[in-house]
Amino acid sequence: KKTQKGPPKTCTRACWKYEPQADPDFAAVRPFTAEDVRKIEQEMLGVYLSSTPFDDLSPRLLADCQQAHELELASQDSQALVCVQLVSHSTKNDRNGNAMGFFNFLSHDGYKVRAVAFHKTWAKIRHDVYDGRLFFAVLYKSDRGWSVDGLMPA
């Protein structure tokens, strides 16, 4: 017994049921915003090429912030105000069962900064923490690294 082939999934020009599709109206498509382009670049390439989220902030605000490469030269027991984007964060409990936050930041000059928010600070800021968000952060340098003393959304 012979079985016939089923109909094709999609018709091509040679098919007798082929109906040509209308060309899309590209004028009706809204152009990408700078934020859309940044999201695509970050998703596809992992870096920003055309602009960064910091470009939306005023240059005067950025001038008041220290750059991350200056943080390496900072003396111990010093504080620094930096403008950062939160790349990722996690929470863990200390040995007393208190929650702490661990942050991976990207500074406005392109450097990565890691910092910790201890229990009291974490309790104050945890509701404002979202990955990808811009912040003005007050960081404190100790012999164990950087800790977050304050975090304010930009």
Side-chain angles (χ1 to χ4, degrees), residues 26-124:
F26 291 110
V29 177
R30 73 172 178 83
F32 288 120
T33 64
E35 185 176 347
D36 294 336
V37 173
R38 285 194 297 261
K39 284 181 181 176
I40 293 169
E41 290 172 350
Q42 190 66 22
E43 181 181 325
M44 300 298 286
L45 305 171
V47 295
Y48 297 114
L49 295 177
S50 57
S51 66
T52 69
F54 301 105
D55 294 343
D56 296 338
L57 298 176
S58 78
R60 187 183 63 77
L61 287 175
L62 288 176
D64 292 340
C65 296
Q66 288 186 339
Q67 296 185 354
H69 72 272
E70 296 171 343
L71 297 179
E72 294 301 320
L73 305 174
S75 61
Q76 194 167 322
D77 297 326
S78 64
Q79 283 188 332
L81 174 67
V82 291
C83 183
V84 292
Q85 180 184 25
L86 180 58
V87 177
S88 65
H89 74 284
S90 63
T91 59
K92 292 187 180 173
N93 291 338
D94 63 11
R95 61 181 166 216
N96 298 325
N98 299 320
M100 300 173 19
F102 293 87
F103 301 99
N104 290 312
F105 293 119
L106 179 66
S107 70
H108 71 279
D109 57 339
Y111 285 83
K112 293 181 180 177
V113 180
R114 296 183 71 192
V116 60
F118 293 107
H119 173 66
K120 289 181 182 177
T121 305
W122 178 246
K124 293 178 192 173

